[in-house]
């Protein structure tokens, strides 16, 4: 139970296409993250799964049953909303019990006076109280049960919202940016709580976010969306390492992947980037594009910089390697230093501020404005993209200076 | 504040801030004074004057010749066997028109809350009855409800089971429903607009959460919509109640309080006593009874409103 299939789903709002023929499968028990910038269609996709919206075209299948036209309540999916959507006039206990009470609702409960019998069950029915208490205990909100949502902090409300989803024991949880209204510290804490909840219940989670840190740390698989189309699906490490195109490369990772125009010479085993030669050998799928123009993608941690002592560098294993650049900015993030450099040969029309390349620097600090050479580390992953389509061509392995000890 | 003032003489150097602050109090009072004076003139004076009149035997013809009559007016009023009927008629009229306006207003608001083409136009049209002058409304309805030439009777006979013309405004059992219907027609748009605003303030995600929680349409209405609009409903109920106590022109023009006092509310009776029977003092006593009723309605409102707040709190 808990397998969700999206089959050729398209959703149009008037002239705009929010989702364009999306195919996707969330396997049972997996934590699937829908990631993308705002307006990419990730929330629309979640709402289509939940049944809060219906696709223009295509089908939604849950556990082999076509639920495309089914009402939200008939899908046995729980939704955690960004705004928490707690019922303001109900206590926390009733908020949690509400889905259970609605399951037992009969038409005659509408007769004045008889409905109260149903709502009394939130305290008297052992099944209801047990499930509510268990969920409250799991989320550490037991002492909040008799309070109203307005008296709770954002983090507490978020836990109540999770609890309300949990109480029903649904086949899958759908979460729409559940952490975006929390401050940074609470966000990290709640992230682990959601992960723990996923591990304890073993239920499928479909999780929408625009925050790549959440996507990387939480998802068993990540779906990157852009303009209603899936860009890439895969485990977070794979998407980080081998992005399917330039958009994914730039969207994931902080700092984003450095991308510049260059050439790949398979015979000479060299990538030329910003006028500098980076020694590489072909890895998977990279044999094809030899000798042609490419877009070269390099992560900050896959590069190294050394002082540039002149045009002809004779500095050990950095002989003649790398492109020349000047140091523009230092960014200390505690355990490491991020250095922004501007390649000397960078095309000046690329951006107003010029091209900025981020390098993770572990050596002695260099002064601002210093001339440096930047090259690849040995064993680094170098991604190649097609300059026209910006799609991934393949990857190379760097043969530059040896990695710093300890890395 | 007190401490600073006492300390001021001891400290030679800077006693300026407390002095300024103390003068600030008087200055503040000076600033609100015009508003206070205006309120006293406009609100308090008529109230006190009305109260004073109710203890005199003032006649309309010689308004300055009235003399103190003690509780005579009240004694006469409470001894009048008609008072019970007047209060009953007032109650029936008030409850029927308030409930009618709220229910029809809510239905209209719910319909307008569903997005459809021409919603803006409908909303504008809907405000027309509310904006129309009461006198014009009453005159139009007098013709529409006319027993022989009225369009109401003609339209009703088109129905298969109606073949008799009714004397809407002249039949003691039909006059009240007719007056209430005209009142509701005029007042419900106000309720509808206020309720529509309240409906639109309910977050859409609450309705969606309730759908996910398998609440039926009726349950979503009771558990999400009603709690969301409850404060507005309560406020509306207070306004509509007090307006109903005070409503004059529609009833007066449609029936004049008749037939056989069937629509003789407190307000109509006040007017009759003061300006037809020219007993200004007696009329003022009736007005004081009306005032007490309005205050009672306000008390009910504040008690209920506080209980609502205590139970649910504001919408978070």
């Amino acid at each position: 139970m808990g397998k969700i299939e999206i089959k050729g789903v398209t959703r149009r709002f008037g002239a705009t296409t929010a989702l364009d023929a999306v195919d996707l499968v969330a396997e049972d028990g997996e934590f699937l993250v829908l990631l993308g910038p705002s307006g990419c269609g990730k929330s629309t996709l979640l709402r289509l799964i939940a049944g809060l919206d219906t696709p223009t075209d295509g089908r939604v299948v849950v556990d082999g049953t076509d639920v495309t036209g089914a009402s939200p309540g008939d899908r046995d999916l729980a939704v955690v909303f960004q705004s928490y959507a707690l019922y303001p006039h109900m206590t926390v206990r009733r908020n949690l019990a509400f889905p259970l009470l609605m399951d037992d609702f009969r038409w005659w409960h509408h007769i004045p006076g008889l409905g109260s019998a149903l709502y009394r069950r939130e305290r008297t029915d052992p099944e209801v109280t047990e499930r509510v208490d268990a969920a409250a205990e799991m989320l550490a909100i037991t002492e909040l049960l008799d309070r109203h949502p307005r008296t709770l902090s954002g983090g507490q409300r978020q836990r109540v919202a999770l609890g309300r989803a949990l109480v029903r024991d649904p086949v899958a949880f759908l979460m729409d940016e559940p952490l975006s209204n929390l401050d940074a510290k609470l966000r990290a804490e709640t992230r682990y709580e959601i992960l723990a909840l996923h591990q304890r219940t073993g239920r499928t989670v479909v999780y929408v976010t625009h925050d790549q840190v959440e996507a990387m740390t939480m998802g068993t698989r990540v779906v990157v969306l852009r303009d209603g189309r899936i860009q890439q699906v895969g485990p977070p490490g794979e998407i980080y390492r081998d992005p399917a195109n330039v958009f994914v490369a730039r969207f994931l990772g902080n700092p984003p992947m450095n991308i510049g125009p260059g050439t790949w010479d398979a015979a000479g085993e060299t990538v030329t980037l910003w006028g500098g030669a980076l020694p590489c050998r072909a890895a998977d799928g990279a044999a094809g594009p030899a000798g042609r123009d490419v877009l070269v993608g390099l992560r900050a941690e896959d590069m190294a910089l050394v002082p540039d002592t002149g045009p002809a560098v004779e500095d050990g294993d950095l002989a003649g390697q790398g492109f020349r650049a000047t140091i523009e900015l230092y960014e200390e993030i505690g355990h490491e230093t991020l250095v922004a450099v501007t390649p000397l040969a960078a095309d000046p029309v690329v951006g107003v501020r010029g091209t900025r390349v981020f390098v993770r620097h572990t050596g002695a600090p260099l002064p601002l404005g210093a001339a440096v050479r930047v090259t690849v580390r040995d064993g680094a992953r170098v991604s190649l993209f097609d300059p026209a389509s910006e799609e991934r061509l393949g990857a190379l392995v760097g043969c530059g200076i040896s990695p710093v000890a300890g890395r | 504040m007190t401490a600073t003032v006492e300390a001021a003489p001891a400290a030679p150097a800077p006693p300026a801030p407390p002095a300024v602050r103390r003068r600030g109090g008087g200055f503040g009072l000076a600033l609100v004074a015009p508003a206070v004076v205006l309120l006293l003139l406009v609100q308090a004076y008529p109230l006190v004057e009305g109260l004073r009149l109710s203890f005199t035997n003032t006649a309309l013809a010689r308004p300055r010749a009235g003399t103190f009559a003690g509780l005579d007016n009240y004694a006469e009023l409470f001894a009048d066997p008609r008072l019970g009927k007047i209060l009953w008629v007032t109650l029936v009229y008030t409850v029927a028109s308030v409930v009618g306006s709220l229910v029809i207003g809510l239905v209209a608001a719910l319909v307008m809350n569903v997005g459809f083409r021409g919603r803006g136009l409908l909303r504008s049209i809907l405000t027309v009855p509310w904006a129309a002058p009461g006198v014009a409304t009453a005159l139009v309805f007098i013709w529409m409800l006319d027993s022989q030439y009225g369009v109401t009777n003609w339209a009703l006979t088109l129905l298969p089971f109606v073949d008799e013309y009714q004397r809407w405004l002249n039949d003691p059992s039909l006059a009240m429903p007719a007056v209430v219907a005209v009142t509701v027609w005029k007042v419900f748009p106000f309720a509808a607009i206020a309720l529509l605003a309240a409906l639109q303030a309910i977050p859409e995600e609450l309705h969606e959460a309730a759908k996910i929680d398998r609440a039926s349409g009726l349950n979503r209405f009771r558990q999400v919509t009603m709690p969301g609009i409850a404060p507005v409903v309560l406020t509306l109920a207070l306004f509509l109640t007090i307006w109903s106590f005070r409503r004059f022109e529609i009833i007066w023009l449609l029936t004049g309080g008749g037939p056989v006092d069937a629509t003789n509310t407190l307000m109509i009776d006040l007017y009759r006593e003061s300006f037809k029977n020219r007993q200004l003092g007696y009329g003022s006593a009736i007005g004081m009874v009306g005032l007490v009723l309005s205050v009672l309605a306000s008390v009910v409102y504040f008690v209920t409103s506080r209980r609502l707040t205590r139970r649910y709190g504001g919408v978070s």
Side-chain angles (χ1 to χ4, degrees), chain B:
Chain B
M1 186 73 196
T2 327
T4 3
V5 173
E6 280 167 359
V20 166
R21 216 180 298 156
R22 203 171 46 202
R23 219 168 44 219
F27 187 56
L29 280 180
L31 281 177
V32 296
V36 170
V37 168
L38 198 69
L39 273 176
L40 283 177
L41 274 176
V42 176
Q43 303 269 6
Y45 172 74
L47 203 65
V48 172
E49 181 65 8
L51 190 63
R52 189 189 65 78
L53 277 174
S54 73
F55 291 111
T56 66
N57 60 2
T58 309
L60 186 64
R62 299 172 68 197
R64 299 205 174 278
T67 57
F68 183 72
L71 291 170
D72 283 4
N73 288 328
Y74 291 95
E76 190 185 340
L77 179 60
F78 289 116
D80 188 344
R82 287 168 57 251
L83 182 68
K85 168 128 196 222
I86 290 169
L87 290 177
W88 174 248
V89 164
T90 308
L91 183 74
V92 169
Y93 173 76
T94 301
V95 170
S97 60
V98 169
V99 171
S101 303
L102 280 178
V103 168
I104 295 178
L106 181 57
V107 170
L110 287 169
V111 168
M112 284 192 293
N113 197 31
V114 182
F116 58 88
R117 283 176 71 88
R119 178 167 72 161
L121 185 70
L122 184 71
R123 197 157 47 190
S124 315
I125 293 174
L126 197 70
T127 55
V128 169
W130 172 249
V135 174
T137 306
L139 291 177
V140 168
F141 269 96
I142 286 173
W143 270 111
M144 286 173 64
L145 293 169
D146 188 275
S147 57
Q148 287 173 48
Y149 309 108
V151 70
T152 314
N153 274 334
W154 173 78
L156 282 174
T157 50
L158 295 180
L159 295 172
F161 47 87
V162 181
D163 48 35
E164 211 178 323
Y165 274 24
Q166 298 292 345
R167 298 162 67 240
W168 291 104
L169 298 174
N170 300 319
D171 184 328
S173 60
L174 290 178
M176 178 58 88
V179 168
V180 167
V182 175
T183 306
V184 168
W185 180 86
K186 178 146 177 53
V187 172
F188 93 89
F190 178 79
I193 300 294
L195 289 169
L196 180 61
L199 286 175
Q200 288 175 344
I202 300 174
E204 185 57 30
E205 286 193 338
L206 276 184
H207 290 289
E208 292 180 345
K211 273 186 205 165
I212 298 280
D213 287 343
R214 300 200 184 116
S216 63
L218 199 50
N219 271 321
R220 289 201 298 276
F221 179 77
R222 290 185 52 177
Q223 301 298 335
V224 176
T225 310
M226 276 316 284
I229 63 174
V232 173
V233 170
L234 199 60
T235 312
L236 269 176
L238 174 72
F239 280 17
L240 296 178
T241 301
I242 291 178
W243 289 342
S244 293
F245 283 156
R246 299 197 316 208
R247 189 157 294 108
F248 174 70
E249 82 270 36
I250 290 179
I251 308 172
W252 182 253
L253 291 172
L254 284 176
T255 64
V260 210
D261 287 352
T263 56
N264 191 31
T265 64
L266 208 57
M267 196 65 190
I268 299 296
D269 203 57
L270 186 157
Y271 184 82
R272 279 175 159 182
E273 291 299 340
S274 306
F275 300 102
K276 291 281 174 185
N277 299 343
R278 294 155 186 259
Q279 294 304 314
L280 212 49
Y282 188 66
S284 296
I286 299 175
M288 285 302 130
V289 173
L291 181 72
V292 169
L293 289 180
S294 295
V295 170
L296 277 180
S298 303
V299 168
V300 169
Y301 166 79
F302 283 113
V303 168
T304 321
S305 155
R306 273 187 59 184
R307 190 179 303 165
L308 265 185
T309 318
R310 212 176 308 139
R311 250 167 79 192
Y312 303 148
V315 175
S316 58

Side-chain angles (χ1 to χ4, degrees), chain A residues 47 50 52 72-73 76-77 79 81 83 85-90 98-99 102-103 105 110 119 148 150 157 164 168, chain B residues 203 205-206 208-216 218-219 222-224 227-228 309-316:
Chain A
R47 292 172 57 81
L52 297 170
D76 203 14
L77 306 169
V79 179
F81 292 91
S83 66
L86 301 177
Y87 307 118
H89 64 290
M90 299 183 194
F98 191 68
M102 285 299 109
D103 281 348
F105 196 89
H110 281 307
Y119 290 106
H148 279 95
R150 99 199 124 91
R157 287 179 202 187
R164 189 175 59 186
R168 286 181 43 189
Chain B
E205 286 193 338
L206 276 184
E208 292 180 345
K211 273 186 205 165
I212 298 280
D213 287 343
R214 300 200 184 116
S216 63
L218 199 50
N219 271 321
R222 290 185 52 177
Q223 301 298 335
V224 176
T309 318
R310 212 176 308 139
R311 250 167 79 192
Y312 303 148
V315 175
S316 58

